[in-house]
Amino acid sequence: MRFILLLLACGLTSCGSNYHVDYRKAVQNFKQGDRPTGPWKGAWKSEVNGHKGPLWCLVTQDPKEPDTWTFRYRAGWGVLQFGDYKHPVKTTLQADHSLPVDDKMELPNNYGTYAVRGKLTPKEFKFRFEGNGDKGTMTLARPK
C-alpha cells in the first residue's frame, strides 16, 4: 500500500508540468559541442542547514535576444517536493564559450529572491546561490 501511495504522490508532483518531456527530448537531441546550452543534471546543497536535493536545468539562448539566456530549473527538496522555475539572465557569451552569471532570481510562491553567481561552460556548471538567510552551491554535469 505504501508503494502505491508513493507512486501516486510522485505522479501528482509532476501534474501540470511538461518539464520531464522537454528534458528527455533535450537529452536525446544533445550533442556535446562548444555551447553551454542544453541539459544539465546535478544537485543543490545548502551550506547553512545541510539541506540538499536533485537539480536539473535546461539552458537555452533566446533567438530574438542573443544576450538573454533562460535557465529552466527543476529542483527537488524534502520528500516528493519539486518545483519548476524559469530564470532569464542577461549575459554575453564569452570568447571561451562560457557564460558569466551574476543575477537575481525570484522564486514563485513567496520562496524569496536569490542571488545566483557563477560561470557556465560547455562542460561545467557551478553556481553559488544566496538569499532568504540561505546560501550554497548548485553543481551540475551533462546527463549520461
Side-chain angles (χ1 to χ4, degrees):
M1 185 64 169
R2 282 185 179 169
F3 181 71
I4 292 171
L5 290 173
L6 180 65
L7 285 177
L8 179 61
C10 285
L12 291 175
T13 60
S14 297
C15 289
S17 171
N18 60 351
Y19 191 93
H20 290 300
V21 172
D22 295 344
Y23 187 83
R24 271 183 260 159
K25 284 181 188 174
V27 169
Q28 289 172 351
N29 296 327
F30 178 71
K31 291 179 178 56
Q32 182 67 52
D34 62 357
R35 310 269 305 157
T37 55
W40 295 88
K41 182 178 179 181
W44 64 271
K45 183 174 182 183
S46 169
E47 295 171 353
V48 173
N49 56 29
H51 292 170
K52 60 185 174 181
L55 183 64
W56 298 263
C57 188
L58 292 170
V59 179
T60 56
Q61 183 179 23
D62 187 324
K64 294 179 183 174
E65 294 182 46
D67 283 343
T68 299
W69 300 76
T70 300
F71 290 73
R72 189 173 164 207
Y73 295 102
R74 179 154 177 86
W77 68 96
V79 178
L80 304 176
Q81 296 182 44
F82 288 89
D84 298 346
Y85 313 101
K86 281 187 181 178
H87 181 203
V89 175
K90 296 272 189 197
T91 187
T92 302
L93 187 65
Q94 304 298 296
D96 66 355
H97 305 286
S98 68
L99 280 177
V101 174
D102 187 355
D103 201 54
K104 293 194 189 261
M105 174 179 174
E106 186 73 33
L107 297 182
N109 300 323
N110 295 320
Y111 284 119
T113 301
Y114 284 79
V116 180
R117 292 181 185 87
K119 182 177 175 182
L120 177 64
T121 74
K123 294 184 179 181
E124 188 171 61
F125 189 127
K126 287 188 179 181
F127 287 2
R128 294 197 50 76
F129 67 85
E130 186 170 353
N132 262 10
D134 197 7
K135 65 180 176 177
T137 58
M138 299 164 32
T139 305
L140 295 93
R142 295 297 190 179
K144 297 178 181 182

